[in-house]
Amino acid sequence: MVFEGLADRLQNTIKKMTGKGKVSEQDVKEMAREVRLALLEADVNFKVVKDFVKQIRERAVGTEVMESLTPGQQVVKIVKEELTSLMGGEQSKIAVADRPPTVIMMVGLQGAGKTTTTGKLANLLRKKHNRKPLLVAADVYRPAAIDQLKTVGKQLDIPVFAKGTDANPVDIAEEALAHAKEEHYDYVIIDTAGRLHIDEGLMGELTEIKAKADPAEIFLVVDAMTGQDAVNVAESFDQQLNITGVVLTKLDGDTRGGAALSIKAVTEKPIKFIGMGEKLDQLEAFHPERMASRILGMGDVLSLIEKAQENVDEKKAKELEEKMRSASFTFDDFLDQMEQVKSMGPLDDLLAMIPGANKMKGLKNVQFDDKQLVHVEAIVKSMTKQERQDPSLINASRKKRIAQGSGRSVAEVNRLLKQFSEMKKMMKQMTGMQGGKKGKRKKGFNLPFM
Amino acid sequence: MSFFKKLKEKFTSSAETEEVSDKYKSGLSKTRHSFASKLNDLVARYRKVDEEFFEDLEELLIQADVGVNTVMELVEELEMEAKRQNIKDASDLKELISEQLVQIYSNGDFVDEVPLNLNQDGLSVILFVGVNGVGKTTSIGKLAHQLKADGKKVLLAAGDTFRAGAIEQLSVWADRVGVDIIKHSEGSDPAAVIYDGIQAARSRGVDVLLCDTAGRLQNKVNLMNELNKVKRVIEREIPQAPHEVLLVLDATTGQNALSQAKTFAQATDVSGIVLTKLDGTAKGGIVLAIRKELNIPVKYVGLGEKVTDLETFDPNAFVYGLFADMLEG
């Protein structure tokens, strides 16, 4: 990760304080500064940061932090709580109009990901809600935008209403609606052209579409990497269209996504979905708590667990958990798990969700390439049964044999053995953390400031 | 003579430079207004230079998406400088602030425009890279138009074989501009498209080959490796190529722009930046941050959706544009 998280930042401040019996007001001030910097680095709007830090300071100056034995931990806890509550509850429901079809309008700047999100949303409505959606190609300006939506429609096998680039977007929307009524579609999702929030002419076009189509939802699609300008964009779209929700895209990148907080704070409209990849099923519900962790650079254990639950056979998972706990995890189990892990998505995505993983020796700066999995598999399969059970058996000549057997180099074999032992350590820490019991927690995963 | 005075003289003394700076002034009017006028406001609000003044200054700069690190360093330096020179009046600090900012970009002297590195007698290959939705394809269309107007024979290679409609999008641009395009079907190997592009460019006597690639987030290792492969294919065919690797950045992007620049530079030796969507944003500060932390020159800026809305980046005019109100007022 590019920027150090809040926890790392605070750690330095805390270090200076250790040995002191009590936290002074000056200390709180310094911690507040670190909170401020962490949020600014995450692209949270400076005005939002200002109000937020003021709130934090008020709470922190109270007894909560000052009398705590672990002030750093307290501050992080407060910050996370406040962030989570600021971003509001989980709200991934999609409105239903009194009379079908329900119209959803997708709006936003150029390149935010409206067309892709339109496809994903339709897919979600059909898959999870069992609805019949119609896509409407109302972006007549960008070259081949209509082709793009048509291709997306074809991939999903969802019909697309298009009239070419010479038609007026307002007319397109109107005709699409009539068509949808006739054909009994449940949802009509209108993909509009990207436009600047300051472009009066094009913003006027959206207001017209809104007036004619009477949408139940207007989703503002925002690139999660947006900087300080996110508030202006959101404010202006909201003022002119009264949006009903926000979809945050490209969150599978390494951005902290502070824009989420800014937009929520300014518009008070819920963030409903997040885009987590280029595939058309990668649209997820927004979880404020996870987003708070992410903005603070604290990892995302919940998503990891959820991902695991989605893809891992429960019985096998129980067995695995037992093995992780007792540290009797072997290369055989590893091979077994590799199949399951492969189904969970790219490895470095998973790794990024583990708090502190980037700090672990040996794992630092490791970049996983999914093709490596094939190599790893070959290496493990070239080990004898005994070796898989007890990797400590593997000496230099065995390494050479394994390397030859798998067609990889000895260095690669070494690397895998090292990674395996790191992984074992990591698993122990993770299970310790999930244990949740107080006494156990100390032994397990320790956040650096605890 | 201070650099600022030199800059002012340069842009007020000749008609030609005035024209250049006018273009920037109107294109960047949002950036300029929000920056120069806000700085004026700030100075007017605070008579005295105190801690709060510096905090507000910090926010002013952060608001323009100048990187947090850059801002912190800058303000710290200013604070020290103010102490050293015993500056108490905020208006006395105005010029110092501007000078420090210019310093980041120029190191105290004029910076030359960095023109495209083109092979004057033979084929030049330009590779476009960047994350999703920044405007790679549009920038290629605009640059093709410009190069064609300069009398070059241009060929496009539709290397974005992944995103739905990307090939069609580039084809529309090829028609619009009136240049040829090499394309395969969706889902095919991008390196193969680029390879075919080079072969076609050679046999048709093309001057400049513009290669599109699919947008990719910089933390996707596989996709970055794929990009590296595309670059290797180009290198294998023409040892000096690609003559330019242009990273396209969206000006509305926040701190992540730096991460993008760093990672793409590692994978493909980025030689220049195209900063798009600068017309819609009150920013431009990102130019300073990239310059300071990565030292990659900005070569073009996108100032609108029309085919002619791509400008070569003139750093002096840009800096002048940022502070024009203040300098003239």
Side-chain angles (χ1 to χ4, degrees):
Chain A
M1 207 163 285
V2 191
F3 302 109
E4 41 183 348
L6 178 62
D8 296 328
R9 283 197 158 278
L10 281 175
Q11 198 186 9
N12 296 328
T13 319
I14 308 291
K15 250 189 211 150
K16 279 184 255 163
M17 281 191 272
T18 41
K20 276 197 255 175
K22 221 181 151 199
V23 181
S24 70
E25 217 158 302
Q26 180 62 30
D27 294 332
V28 172
K29 200 174 159 192
E30 263 180 55
M31 281 196 275
R33 185 177 162 79
E34 296 301 327
V35 172
R36 173 169 172 264
L37 287 177
L39 294 176
L40 286 173
E41 280 182 348
D43 285 325
V44 181
N45 182 267
F46 76 101
K47 273 189 215 145
V48 179
V49 171
K50 202 170 193 174
D51 294 344
F52 185 78
V53 170
K54 206 170 137 204
Q55 231 170 306
I56 297 291
R57 262 181 85 166
E58 272 162 22
R59 250 186 93 174
V61 173
T63 51
E64 255 181 292
V65 170
M66 298 183 74
E67 284 176 8
S68 163
L69 288 173
T70 51
Q73 192 188 338
Q74 280 297 329
V75 171
V76 174
K77 191 172 151 249
I78 293 174
V79 171
K80 215 183 139 188
E81 275 173 18
E82 294 282 333
L83 268 183
T84 309
S85 77
L86 225 158
M87 280 187 287
E90 211 173 290
Q91 300 191 42
S92 60
K93 281 207 180 74
I94 300 171
V96 184
D98 296 338
R99 267 184 307 167
T102 304
V103 179
I104 302 175
M105 238 173 110
M106 310 295 285
V107 300
L109 299 181
Q110 292 97 336
K114 283 175 298 302
T115 307
T116 308
T117 308
T118 301
K120 287 178 175 178
L121 202 59
N123 189 32
L124 187 90
L125 281 167
R126 188 182 55 183
K127 221 168 136 189
K128 282 210 171 145
H129 304 274
N130 213 5
R131 300 287 173 192
K132 190 178 159 195
L134 174 70
L135 304 179
V136 182
D139 180 356
V140 298
Y141 305 106
R142 187 175 54 115
I146 297 174
D147 291 318
Q148 186 184 351
L149 193 66
K150 277 183 179 164
T151 310
V152 167
K154 208 193 269 167
Q155 281 167 11
L156 293 168
D157 197 20
I158 290 176
V160 176
F161 185 90
K163 295 217 64 181
T165 51
D166 293 329
N168 177 323
V170 184
D171 298 339
I172 296 174
E174 235 182 337
E175 283 179 46
L177 208 61
H179 172 76
K181 272 180 197 155
E182 245 166 63
E183 305 279 324
H184 303 294
Y185 283 98
D186 299 316
Y187 278 90
V188 175
I189 310 177
I190 305 173
D191 179 28
T192 67
R195 63 202 74 213
L196 292 172
H197 53 295
I198 49 168
D199 187 328
E200 282 170 28
L202 284 177
M203 289 305 282
E205 180 194 284
L206 287 182
T207 334
E208 259 183 82
I209 296 180
K210 185 189 170 186
K212 289 266 158 68
D214 188 26
E217 297 272 17
I218 300 177
F219 288 148
L220 176 66
V221 182
V222 184
D223 184 332
M225 295 181 280
T226 312
Q228 294 287 321
D229 218 26
V231 281
N232 301 329
V233 174
E235 211 166 21
S236 157
F237 270 95
D238 192 33
Q239 271 166 10
Q240 296 180 59
L241 294 164
N242 192 17
I243 60 169
T244 60
V246 175
V247 182
L248 217 54
T249 60
K250 306 178 203 173
L251 263 169
D252 48 330
D254 63 5
T255 179
R256 283 277 175 72
L261 185 65
S262 308
I263 293 168
K264 181 71 220 268
V266 197
T267 63
E268 293 184 355
K269 297 293 162 65
I271 295 165
K272 294 212 168 181
F273 298 100
I274 54 174
M276 290 300 287
E278 296 189 69
K279 293 202 195 85
L280 291 169
D281 58 354
Q282 289 171 320
L283 187 73
E284 298 175 8
F286 174 75
H287 299 286
E289 203 198 325
R290 297 178 195 177
M291 196 64 216
S293 294
R294 180 174 180 142
I295 290 175
L296 297 175
M298 290 165 68
D300 185 355
V301 185
L302 285 172
S303 288
L304 181 64
I305 293 168
E306 198 168 79
K307 260 204 155 119
Q309 278 169 347
E310 261 175 38
N311 294 285
V312 174
D313 170 337
E314 205 167 313
K315 203 175 138 206
K316 275 196 170 170
K318 269 232 165 87
E319 279 172 31
L320 175 69
E321 200 188 307
E322 200 39 58
K323 280 183 169 150
M324 280 177 166
R325 233 186 268 283
S326 59
S328 64
F329 188 78
T330 69
F331 266 115
D332 271 325
D333 303 315
F334 178 72
L335 214 51
D336 232 29
Q337 287 312 307
M338 260 187 34
E339 278 311 308
Q340 308 222 17
V341 169
K342 266 197 240 171
S343 63
M344 279 165 64
L347 277 180
D348 43 350
D349 282 7
L350 298 179
L351 201 64
M353 292 179 195
I354 302 168
N358 56 345
K359 274 223 222 77
M360 236 169 255
K361 237 179 154 187
L363 277 176
K364 206 178 184 177
N365 298 326
V366 169
Q367 296 229 298
F368 283 110
D369 179 346
D370 290 330
K371 269 183 203 150
Q372 277 182 9
L373 280 182
V374 182
H375 302 162
V376 166
E377 210 173 328
I379 294 173
V380 177
K381 282 184 172 160
S382 300
M383 295 176 185
T384 66
K385 262 211 161 109
Q386 276 172 315
E387 283 165 354
R388 287 186 216 175
Q389 292 295 323
D390 182 6
S392 66
L393 282 174
I394 302 175
N395 57 23
S397 87
R398 283 177 191 252
K399 276 178 196 167
K400 220 168 148 191
R401 193 206 72 242
I402 293 168
Q404 266 170 357
S406 58
R408 310 307 309 170
S409 68
V410 175
E412 275 173 284
V413 177
N414 274 327
R415 205 178 315 139
L416 176 65
L417 289 170
K418 200 173 162 207
Q419 277 175 3
F420 182 74
S421 77
E422 285 293 338
M423 200 164 123
K424 263 174 107 165
K425 268 187 232 161
M426 201 163 79
M427 285 171 170
K428 248 168 105 180
Q429 288 177 325
M430 278 177 63
T431 49
M433 186 171 47
Q434 278 176 53
K437 277 182 219 148
K438 264 209 162 153
K440 210 162 181 189
R441 198 165 175 175
K442 271 264 163 308
K443 256 201 289 168
F445 188 79
N446 275 313
L447 287 173
F449 46 83
M450 280 180 177
Chain B
M1 185 161 58
S2 79
F3 173 70
F4 241 103
K5 292 201 183 92
K6 278 195 274 182
L7 193 66
K8 188 174 173 178
E9 234 160 61
K10 178 176 164 147
F11 281 103
T12 44
S13 59
S14 82
E16 183 211 355
T17 47
E18 196 142 319
E19 200 183 307
V20 175
S21 66
D22 272 354
K23 204 168 64 189
Y24 269 86
K25 269 161 69 180
S26 59
L28 292 172
S29 62
K30 277 214 73 181
T31 309
R32 188 166 49 97
H33 278 309
S34 50
F35 193 77
S37 63
K38 273 181 190 154
L39 189 56
N40 274 334
D41 282 355
L42 178 71
V43 170
R45 223 169 346 129
Y46 285 92
R47 284 282 173 77
K48 261 176 45 202
V49 177
D50 55 13
E51 209 176 306
E52 261 179 69
F53 171 82
F54 283 113
E55 205 157 289
D56 274 12
L57 178 64
E58 247 174 49
E59 277 168 6
L60 178 67
L61 293 167
I62 280 168
Q63 199 187 348
D65 280 327
V66 177
V68 175
N69 286 339
T70 311
V71 172
M72 295 302 153
E73 270 173 47
L74 188 80
V75 172
E76 216 164 274
E77 266 169 46
L78 274 170
E79 255 178 294
M80 272 180 18
E81 201 54 32
K83 236 178 233 162
R84 205 176 58 83
Q85 297 185 19
N86 203 16
I87 298 175
K88 292 214 172 72
D89 197 342
S91 60
D92 292 339
L93 211 55
K94 211 165 83 177
E95 187 153 325
L96 193 61
I97 294 167
S98 319
E99 291 237 2
Q100 291 272 16
L101 277 171
V102 175
Q103 193 89 15
I104 293 179
Y105 204 91
S106 67
N107 249 331
D109 214 335
F110 293 122
V111 193
D112 293 323
E113 260 175 56
V114 191
L116 275 190
N117 168 31
L118 293 179
N119 180 4
Q120 291 309 329
D121 36 38
L123 174 63
S124 305
V125 181
I126 304 180
L127 184 66
F128 284 75
V129 300
V131 301
N132 318 62
V134 287
K136 282 178 294 303
T137 309
T138 308
S139 297
I140 289 176
K142 290 176 180 175
L143 186 61
H145 171 79
Q146 233 176 60
L147 290 168
K148 198 188 167 209
D150 288 347
K152 305 267 189 223
K153 188 166 182 190
V154 180
L155 181 69
L156 311 183
D160 182 354
T161 57
F162 181 81
R163 204 204 68 203
I167 298 171
E168 289 91 336
Q169 189 181 347
L170 195 67
S171 303
V172 173
W173 275 107
D175 280 352
R176 223 181 248 186
V177 178
V179 297
D180 287 346
I181 179 171
I182 299 298
K183 55 189 176 187
H184 289 190
S185 57
E186 207 178 297
S188 56
D189 177 12
V193 181
I194 305 292
Y195 177 86
D196 281 0
I198 293 174
Q199 303 310 327
R202 276 179 169 152
S203 65
R204 297 179 197 182
V206 162
D207 298 314
V208 188
L209 174 69
L210 302 177
C211 306
D212 197 8
T213 62
R216 62 203 74 219
L217 294 173
Q218 71 275 16
N219 59 338
K220 311 272 172 182
V221 177
N222 287 344
L223 294 178
M224 293 308 281
N225 287 344
E226 178 193 270
L227 203 57
N228 189 265
K229 182 184 161 196
V230 168
K231 189 178 168 246
R232 284 200 315 269
V233 165
I234 298 172
E235 278 167 349
R236 207 177 52 211
E237 287 307 301
I238 307 170
Q240 308 82 18
H243 300 83
E244 289 277 359
V245 178
L246 296 180
L247 172 67
V248 184
L249 288 179
D250 181 336
T252 33
T253 306
Q255 305 279 314
N256 199 253
L258 287 170
S259 159
Q260 289 170 26
K262 271 181 202 154
T263 319
F264 275 98
Q266 274 166 15
T268 56
D269 299 317
V270 172
S271 60
I273 285 167
V274 180
L275 195 64
T276 60
K277 309 184 199 174
L278 203 58
D279 52 329
T281 153
K283 310 303 161 236
I286 197 73
V287 176
L288 296 177
I290 291 166
R291 177 75 184 196
K292 183 161 165 77
E293 297 198 15
L294 298 158
N295 207 18
I296 301 172
V298 177
K299 296 208 169 175
Y300 289 95
V301 290
L303 296 168
E305 284 193 308
K306 287 196 297 292
V307 67
T308 51
D309 288 337
L310 185 76
E311 301 287 353
T312 44
F313 181 72
D314 176 344
N316 298 318
F318 174 76
V319 167
Y320 182 74
L322 276 180
F323 299 106
D325 279 355
M326 270 168 49
L327 291 170
E328 284 159 7

